[in-house]
Amino acid sequence: MTTTVRPPARAEWTVIALLIVLSVVPLIAGAFRLGELATGAPVTADNARFAASPLPVVLHILTASPYCLLGAFQFSSTLRRRRPRWHRVSGRILVPLGLIAALSGVWMTLFYAVPAIDTGFLTVQRLVLGTAMAAALVLGFVAARRREFARHGAWMIRAYAIGQGAGTQVLTHVPWTLLVGEYDELSRGLLMGAGWAINMVVAEWVIHRTLRRPRGVRRVPERSPG
């Protein structure tokens, strides 16, 4: 005879909290950028492209920020199990948010006059990963419509990992800044790429652990009476 034992809900909320913390610096940076645009801050070399064409960056910030925050709660199997309607409704909100965030990022990469340090390898990464994020969201949505829920979850985790790249990139930049100082085009591209790579490796680990075998349960033998 066996008894089903589920992992404590505390572990799920720890994951959610960490993902929200990971979003804090990008959220602050985005709010600062919106404040600059709203108050007509002086135009500098750093913000000239945003001042000249604010709509793409405003759309990017206003969709990427709630995408990262709301998306964190999708990692709770308890919420998915106990409130399936909430999961479906929030998912229908997250897909368009993620698509707009990804495609506006691609647009800015293609058409903004970005600083020289953000060109080259970093440009290629942004185009490839922005397109990949949009594709993952579409594939995840299609899988859900087909009721292929394991595949749906895998694609959504991959999309979130890409979208959460800015948070991890803060962590990859800090040690370099403290130990080395300024970075050039190559080091900037490598540091940004490292943030995405870390997220994608973790995403595939999560997919393997939670979606490709029974989720959150283990079997514990129970003694028979007598």
Side-chain angles (χ1 to χ4, degrees):
M1 187 174 179
T2 58
T3 299
T4 299
V5 178
R6 297 187 179 275
R10 183 181 299 177
E12 293 183 356
W13 288 106
T14 299
V15 170
I16 293 169
L18 289 173
L19 291 172
I20 291 173
V21 169
L22 199 63
S23 306
V24 167
V25 173
L27 283 171
I28 294 172
F32 177 78
R33 185 69 69 193
L34 291 177
E36 278 189 330
L37 294 171
T39 59
V43 176
T44 65
D46 179 59
N47 65 15
R49 61 192 184 280
F50 305 126
S53 180
L55 181 60
V57 70
V58 169
L59 285 175
H60 187 73
I61 295 169
L62 292 181
T63 54
S65 297
Y67 176 80
C68 290
L69 291 176
L70 182 59
F73 291 90
Q74 300 293 78
F75 286 85
S76 171
S77 59
T78 302
L79 280 176
R80 293 197 302 272
R81 185 174 63 253
R82 295 181 179 176
R83 299 180 181 273
R85 187 172 183 276
W86 179 90
H87 178 73
R88 289 193 297 270
V89 171
S90 59
R92 289 167 184 162
I93 296 170
L94 283 166
V95 170
L97 285 177
L99 284 172
I100 295 171
L103 296 177
S104 60
V106 170
W107 193 99
M108 290 188 290
T109 302
L110 288 172
F111 298 109
Y112 272 169
V114 299
I117 199 171
D118 282 353
T119 57
F121 181 42
L122 180 53
T123 294
V124 174
Q125 291 181 91
R126 282 174 166 163
L127 292 175
V128 170
L129 291 169
T131 304
M133 179 178 169
L137 287 164
V138 172
L139 290 169
F141 177 79
V142 171
R145 298 289 292 177
R146 293 176 176 173
R147 304 187 66 80
E148 297 171 349
F149 296 120
R151 184 170 297 176
H152 161 74
W155 283 118
M156 290 305 184
I157 289 172
R158 292 178 181 124
Y160 186 82
I162 297 172
Q164 188 62 272
T168 313
Q169 285 154 0
V170 174
L171 303 180
T172 60
H173 278 68
V174 168
W176 181 279
T177 303
L178 294 176
L179 298 174
V180 180
E182 295 186 0
Y183 32 75
D184 56 17
E185 178 188 317
L186 177 59
S187 59
R188 165 81 165 158
L190 291 174
L191 291 170
M192 295 286 282
W196 279 308
I198 291 168
N199 284 8
M200 292 169 73
V201 168
V202 172
E204 293 304 321
W205 178 81
V206 170
I207 290 167
H208 176 76
R209 291 270 299 185
T210 63
L211 299 178
R212 293 180 179 171
R213 63 187 186 183
R215 290 182 292 176
V217 298
R218 61 187 178 91
R219 295 292 182 179
V220 178
E222 184 178 276
R223 283 187 174 183
S224 300

